[in-house]
Amino acid sequence: MSTTQLTMKSAIVLGAGSWGTALAALLHERGLQVQFWGRDETLMNEIRQTRRNSRYLSSLHLPEGIAITSDLNTLTPADMIVFVVPSKGIRDTAQAIAAIGLHQQARVALSCAKGIELHSGKRMSEILAEVLPGPQHAVLTGPNHAEEVSQRLATAAVVACADQQIAREVQTCFTLPWFRSYTSDDVAGVEWAGAMKNPYAIAAGIALGLKLGDNAIAALVTRALAEMVRLIVVMGGKAETCYGLAGVGDLITTCYSEHSRNHRVGKLLGEGMSLADIIASTRMVAEGVPNTASLYEAAQTKGVRSPLLAEIYAILHEGKPAREAMRALLSRDPRAESDG
C-alpha cells in the first residue's frame, strides 16, 4: 500500500461494465468510500445481492463496503466522480449528473472512457468540462484490461490533468502495490492516444483472422504508431506521449491481448463474420467501431495522412471486404519509413 496520505476520501464510480467494476473495487481497496452506479436496475440489484457482476466481470467479489445503486438520486456528494461509461454515453451521463447538481461539491471529474465524440471532435474530458463546470477534469488511461486488474496483476496507468497538483492527488488514489500510476500534463495527447489505438486493434485482429502472419501484424502495429503520432501532434498532443503508456503501451496491449474487445471484433471480421452479427453476439462495447468514424473524420478534416485508418473505416462503415482492404495497404506506393 502507498504510504502517501489520501487527500480525496470518497468516489462515485459511474458505469457497471468490467472496467467500472474493477475500478470500484480498486478504489475501495485503496481506502476510499465508494459508491457504484449503473443504469441497469436489474443488474445493479443482482450485484448488490451477490456482490458479483455476472454479466461483465463475474470473477471479482465486491466488498460489502461499496454502496451499489441504479438510482442517481440516491448518490451523495463525493470528492471524485469517475466516469467509466462508454464514450458515446459520456455526455448523457454528465448531463444527468449536472441535472441533480452532484458535481458541485466534487473536486475532480475523472474520465476513464477512450473515445472522441463524433462530429464535435471533442475529447471526453472536454465534454465533462463543458457539462460539469467547477471540478478539475482529469483522465485515467493506459494498458489496463479490467480482467487483469480484477486479479490484482501488475498494472501501470497514466493520470493526466492540466493541474499537476490534482494529477498527483488522483495518482495517490490509484496507487497500490500492484497498480502503479504516473502523471502527465498532456491531457490532449493521452486522450487521443487512448481513442486511436482501438481501430488499430481491430486491424490487428483482422490480420490475425486472415492468418496473415506475425510479420504482417508487427508491420501493421508499427505503422499504426506512426499514424497516431501524426494525428495526435496535429490535435495538440505531444509526440513523446505516443511512446508512453497511453500510446505504445496501450496500443501493444490492445492489438495483441485476448482480453481486447476490439482485437476480438477484428479477428471475427477476418474470419468472415459480419460486423452486425459480431455486435449482436456480445454485450461488451468495442469502442473502436464507433470511434473509427470520429477519428477518420478528424484525420480528413486536418489533412493528416492515415491510410490504415482509412481502410479500417472502409471495412467498418462502408462494407469493404477485410482481405481487399489489407491488400490495398500492401499495394500502396513505396515511401521512406520516416516520411511524415
Side-chain angles (χ1 to χ4, degrees), residues 141-158:
T141 189
N144 313 139
H145 285 310
E147 294 84 354
E148 295 188 0
V149 171
S150 71
Q151 297 172 48
R152 304 170 86 250
L153 296 176
T155 301
V158 179

Side-chain angles (χ1 to χ4, degrees), residues 8 12 32 34 93 180 191 209 216 250 299-300 315 326 329 338:
M8 283 184 273
I12 297 168
L32 280 78
V34 176
T93 305
R180 179 177 177 82
E191 287 195 277
D250 207 1
Q300 293 297 300
I315 294 169
M326 293 294 130
L329 288 170
S338 59

Side-chain angles (χ1 to χ4, degrees), residues 200-214:
Y200 300 126
I202 293 176
I206 289 172
L208 180 64
L210 289 171
K211 295 180 170 54
L212 296 184
D214 293 342

